[in-house]
Amino acid sequence: KEKRGEKKENQAHTHTPHGYCMSGGVLAELKARVDLRAHGMKDEAGDVDPSGVKDRPWVTELEVKRYLENKSDGKWLIECDTTEVGTLWQLCRKMYHSGALSGVSSMKVSTSHERYSSWRTAVIVLYCTGNESACKETGQSILDVIPYSPPSGKMFFKTDAQTLGAEAGSHVYWLPTKREQ
């Protein structure tokens, strides 16, 4: 017999033909990422141009072994124009698989899903773990190989607790980027 609340959570998950567990809510998505072994999930490859994806809000890049060794405490956010997201996403994927993104456990990118279709910017999320020093070191490894130059001149880090609403604020750390003058 289902307990109260269980049915709702299970309904939030849908399985794609590839066996990926997708969810309607952030909490369910994080739970699905933690339960990778239980779901028998394999590595996820986001080898698509996210600007052409309309059937789901995110495309994920994940190596299960790497993720399980470095579970996420938070994420670095790369915001870019929707016209540039495909090229930047493919570069992030290449650097992730080459090992150049030291400390990044997994990544995801926003798509052209109806949830984001009115936005002029896309976001690439690079998950990492550790204390402030370790997170900033990971952030610097990202900036060393990804040409990211936002108008603010900063790349921002947000904790998973902030995403889930348990902590106030939009970010806890930031790093200066190599903004072209």
Side-chain angles (χ1 to χ4, degrees):
K1 187 174 179 178
E2 291 179 338
K3 295 178 184 173
R4 186 179 178 136
E6 243 180 31
K7 186 175 182 183
K8 209 177 220 181
E9 183 177 323
N10 290 339
Q11 287 177 341
H13 289 86
T14 57
H15 295 273
T16 68
H18 304 290
Y20 304 152
C21 184
M22 307 303 281
S23 66
V26 174
L27 184 59
E29 182 180 347
L30 290 174
K31 183 181 183 325
R33 287 177 51 228
V34 172
D35 292 340
L36 294 177
R37 283 186 177 152
H39 290 292
M41 290 177 63
K42 297 182 177 160
D43 294 350
E44 292 185 31
D47 191 15
V48 296
D49 180 349
S51 62
V53 175
K54 297 183 188 301
D55 64 339
R56 59 193 188 271
W58 298 100
V59 171
T60 303
E61 191 73 24
L62 180 139
E63 293 175 352
V64 174
K65 182 178 186 295
R66 187 171 177 172
Y67 171 79
L68 291 173
E69 291 172 354
N70 301 295
K71 291 187 180 176
S72 170
D73 292 324
K75 71 261 315 115
W76 286 102
L77 306 170
I78 295 179
E79 293 184 15
C80 60
D81 190 275
T82 55
T83 61
E84 301 169 346
V85 69
T87 303
L88 198 53
W89 174 244
Q90 291 308 320
L91 178 59
C92 286
R93 290 183 69 247
K94 180 181 177 183
M95 296 296 104
Y96 175 75
H97 290 291
S98 74
L101 295 180
S102 174
V104 174
S105 62
S106 63
M107 306 181 302
K108 70 180 182 181
V109 61
S110 60
T111 67
S112 293
H113 185 267
E114 64 185 31
R115 182 186 300 172
Y116 308 116
S117 63
S118 65
W119 295 9
R120 289 188 170 169
T121 59
V123 63
I124 298 174
V125 180
L126 299 103
Y127 291 96
C128 65
T129 189
N131 59 25
E132 179 177 359
S133 177
C135 288
K136 285 185 174 181
E137 188 175 310
T138 297
Q140 192 57 57
S141 78
I142 295 166
L143 292 174
D144 288 345
V145 296
I146 305 297
Y148 179 53
S149 300
S152 69
K154 300 174 183 176
M155 181 173 70
F156 297 99
F157 179 88
K158 187 174 182 179
T159 67
D160 288 341
Q162 286 175 303
T163 300
L164 297 173
E167 292 180 6
S170 58
H171 67 276
V172 290
Y173 315 130
W174 63 269
L175 290 174
T177 62
K178 299 173 188 170
R179 184 152 188 235
E180 297 174 352
Q181 299 295 329

